[in-house]
Amino acid sequence: MSIQLTRRALLASATGAAGALLVHGSARAAETVPPIRIGLTSVVVRENLDFFSDWAAYLAARLERPVTFIQRRSYSEIMDLLKSGDVHFAWICGYPYARRRDPEFLELLAVPLWQGAPLYQSYIIASVGAAGIQTLADLHSGVFAYSDPDSNSGYLVPRDMLTREGMSPESLFRVSFFTWDHGETVQAVADGVADAGAVDSYVWEYVEATQPSLAGRTRVLARSDRFGFPPLVARRGIGNDLTRRMRGALLGMADDTAGRLLLDRLALDGFSVQPDSLYDSIRELAARSGRPA
Amino acid sequence: MMRASLHPRSWSLMVKLPLTIGLIIGCVAMVIGIAIVKEQQAQGTAALEERTLTVARAVAAAAPEAALRNDYWTLHKVLATMTRRTATAGSAGAPVTTAMILDPGVRTLASLEPRVNPIALPAVLAEGTHAMAAAALDKGTATVRWLADESVVEGAVPVTLNGTTLAAVVVRLSAADLSAALWEATRIILGLTVLLAIAGSVAAAMISRRMVRPLKALAGGMDVIGRGGSHLIPESAVRDRDEIGRLVDRFNRMSAELAEARRKEQELAVNEKLVAVGRIAAGVAHEVNNPLAGMLNCLDTLRSRPGDQVLVERYLPVIEQGLHRIQGIVQGLLSELRDGRGTGGCATALGDPADLRDLLAADLRGRALRLDWDVEAAVAPILRRPSVQQAVTNLVKNAVAAMPDGGRVGVRAHARGDEAVIEVEDEGHGIAQEDVGRIFDPFYTTRNDGTGLGLWITWRLIDDLGGAIAVDSEPGVGTIVRLCLPLNQLMGDMDERMRV
């Protein structure tokens, strides 16, 4: 809710073309060239809105076109925008990317490098206050927080972990709910609204580094296998030139000071080009879980 | 004595007035203060109840969609945001202690204390709270109530969508801020009360000082006047022209008039003295002149008939008698004026009252007179005093003179209380009523051979002893002269003299 307020304040102050995160960009951008629109989901930490205006300015300078970030609550909304062509690029979760589309309208743009690899995990975290929860089995009849039904680390992976432990995620919990944001999952578990939750390891580590008092009220109960890091994707048909230039701009961030500073703020090492097969493990997982792959 | 001075009735006005006024002001300020605090409490209570419902309604207004979807996390965020103390809208810093959203089965949808009331479990509620939540869920009514210890106010409001009740919001607000504000107001009012009481007391002390200063001056002035002096209260002691000021004015006027009257009295006394001296002088002149005329006649006759032995034989005694008489007058006057004690009339003091009796009886012998002597032993010592003896002698002589045809003279002495009463009674012609007032004047006499000094001397003797003389007379029946003397004082003097 506080994010919402900050966002409004940001719009009201009209800090510039790249600062507008909401929907249709800014008037100034529309004057000349239509802006490049990039969709965001909760795979990245949304707390620092200034960061996205700085990043948009950085990318706009590299691409010589205005850049606008567009925020939506759920993955499916961003996927719809990608499908309809309302966004050119998007940073989405591995599972939405790995799913088979017919016709395919996505192309892998770049994969972030975190802690030296294009990989991340799912953490199952428990509230520090819920002392009775020591293993996954202790989650029985508790309250569990997922991030998004289309999330890999926030939904598919924890359910698979429970299933492999011999438990049924459908009946294990007294109640479960979606927070639609990995950061808020940490909040819900920390506040004790949920006894436990599943969270992107990158987000949890980021929160631990930036808000240790919040992360400190949670503890990691279990860690999953490693999966391909949530990728940046391009919509097919926007032109190879634009895709190539965008990829170049992203890959080049690690090589200049401004880019490095932005990467540091994201706690990432850089962006890389990876084969589509990086996400095969997610496809297997989805197939195993009975989800569309 | 201490007790008497501690009693409030004996306190000074300068204490009583400030205390009373301070007390009255303090009481009035206290009553007003209590009324203000009570009013504030009522207003604060109503405002807090309103605020409780406002917070609950704000939550209820934001909750229906999420409640419909059982979106626990959104409900929690709505609840947490709306009830946050630093919230900018709606709840405006309301001191929310706890809040929750309950579903129609009174299970927790969201709670600020998820560990106390975990979501999706029947809510653990106090009985009253449960009743309020049930009223909101079943009847859609918004209610507010105070918890037993009045430190918390609780409100319950339904969450409705299109007329259907989906949930209930229960909010508790702490009254600690209200209590703190009331306590602060109470402290300010107490402080003001004390300050006002002190200010009132100080003002009253100043007023009473202005009042008491002239009163004290008045009391002091009255003391002076009571002792026979004269006193004027200075203008500086009285600045106000109020009742007390006018009283002081009157006092000063009275004091001045009194001083004037006293001065006139003194003038009058001097005049009277002069008159008395004149009267004495005239009396002496007259008394001396009478025999002188006779004697000058005798001398003229003798000179015109020198050698007439018969005339010499006849006139010389007359001249001698006249000279004796003048001598008697002059001696009596001298002795009286010289020592003022008048012992000259009776040259020798007799020791015993019995001797006095015998002497008086001897004077009476050979005449148709009788002396009745009745003296109590208790007062006999009084009759040893020369001045008393002379007074009695003078009175007996007057009694004898009043009875040329004989009769009885009574001398009685007895104690009456702390007085010695000596009575001399005769059966003579008595004293005319109009003359009674003058018989003690010097040279006043009704007898041809009297000097008019006897009773005057007697009066002075008795006056010197601190006694009094009363005359009881009826013309043709007789006269009683009564001497009243202070018995104890005279006896004491006697004892002292004996000891010396």
Side-chain angles (χ1 to χ4, degrees), chain B residues 206-230:
Chain B
M206 285 162 69
I207 292 169
S208 59
R209 211 171 133 240
R210 281 178 87 105
M211 281 170 65
V212 166
R213 196 167 41 189
L215 288 178
K216 274 185 168 168
L218 264 180
M222 283 176 182
D223 276 352
V224 172
I225 285 179
R227 286 195 300 269
S230 169

Side-chain angles (χ1 to χ4, degrees), chain B residues 118-340:
Chain B
I119 57 175
L121 284 182
V124 179
L125 299 172
E127 199 175 312
T129 311
H130 195 282
M132 285 173 73
L137 290 165
D138 301 341
K139 299 177 199 146
T141 52
T143 47
V144 66
R145 70 161 186 148
W146 284 83
L147 264 58
D149 65 352
E150 305 245 312
S151 65
V152 172
V153 61
E154 187 175 65
V157 162
V159 178
T160 56
L161 187 66
N162 301 330
T164 310
T165 301
L166 304 172
V169 179
V170 176
V171 172
R172 278 185 182 184
L173 264 65
S174 163
D177 288 358
L178 178 62
S179 305
L182 286 177
W183 174 233
E184 183 63 26
T186 307
R187 269 181 26 210
I188 289 171
I189 281 163
L190 272 177
L192 279 177
T193 302
V194 170
L195 277 181
L196 280 175
I198 289 172
S201 298
V202 168
M206 285 162 69
I207 292 169
S208 59
R209 211 171 133 240
R210 281 178 87 105
M211 281 170 65
V212 166
R213 196 167 41 189
L215 288 178
K216 274 185 168 168
L218 264 180
M222 283 176 182
D223 276 352
V224 172
I225 285 179
R227 286 195 300 269
S230 169
H231 186 79
L232 284 181
I233 293 165
E235 286 285 317
S236 62
V238 193
R239 271 172 285 169
D240 300 328
R241 296 288 93 194
D242 54 9
E243 288 85 344
I244 293 176
R246 289 205 291 277
L247 183 63
V248 171
D249 273 353
R250 300 253 165 83
F251 173 84
N252 278 349
R253 217 180 304 154
M254 182 197 80
S255 181
E257 281 167 5
L258 216 60
E260 177 65 17
R262 217 169 257 154
R263 194 181 57 75
K264 282 186 178 155
E265 206 171 81
Q266 275 169 1
E267 268 179 22
L268 205 64
V270 169
N271 282 346
E272 274 177 357
K273 266 183 199 158
L274 288 175
V275 168
V277 167
R279 224 158 46 198
I280 290 170
V284 169
H286 180 258
E287 290 301 313
V288 170
N289 198 42
N290 278 345
L292 276 180
M295 286 190 293
L296 284 173
N297 269 339
C298 289
L299 284 175
D300 272 351
T301 308
L302 284 173
R303 194 176 289 149
S304 64
R305 313 258 290 268
D308 188 342
Q309 200 57 39
V310 178
L311 274 180
V312 171
E313 298 254 333
R314 195 171 141 203
Y315 283 153
L316 270 183
V318 173
I319 291 170
E320 192 183 8
Q321 194 185 354
L323 287 172
H324 274 301
R325 191 169 165 198
I326 290 171
Q327 188 188 29
I329 289 167
V330 171
Q331 274 180 350
L333 200 61
L334 275 180
S335 71
E336 173 57 29
L337 295 178
R338 193 187 301 124
D339 60 10

Side-chain angles (χ1 to χ4, degrees), chain B residues 59 62-64 66-67 70-80 101 109-110:
Chain B
V59 174
N70 268 9
D71 185 345
Y72 294 105
W73 180 241
T74 301
L75 287 172
H76 179 81
K77 285 199 289 184
V78 164
L79 195 62
I101 304 174
L109 286 171

Side-chain angles (χ1 to χ4, degrees), chain B residues 31-69:
Chain B
V31 167
I32 293 172
I34 289 170
I36 290 172
V37 170
K38 282 275 171 205
E39 178 61 23
Q40 249 198 356
Q41 186 178 24
Q43 282 181 3
T45 303
L48 198 63
E49 287 172 3
E50 188 55 42
R51 217 160 153 202
T52 306
L53 287 177
T54 304
V55 171
R57 286 196 181 106
V59 174
E65 289 290 341
L68 198 62
R69 286 186 277 106

Side-chain angles (χ1 to χ4, degrees), chain A residues 121-127 133-137 139 143-146 153-163 165 167 172-173 185 189 195-201 204 218-224:
Chain A
Q121 293 165 281
S122 173
Y123 287 172
I124 293 183
I125 56 172
S127 178
I133 298 174
Q134 295 299 332
T135 66
L136 291 182
L139 295 175
V143 178
F144 199 86
Y146 296 114
S153 62
Y155 189 74
L156 282 188
V157 177
R159 288 173 76 90
D160 184 57
M161 288 165 78
L162 292 168
T163 308
E165 293 271 336
M167 291 172 275
L172 180 65
F173 307 123
T185 302
V189 174
D195 299 314
V199 65
D200 182 327
S201 66
W204 191 87
T218 64
R219 58 198 157 89
V220 179
L221 203 62
R223 289 178 170 83
S224 72

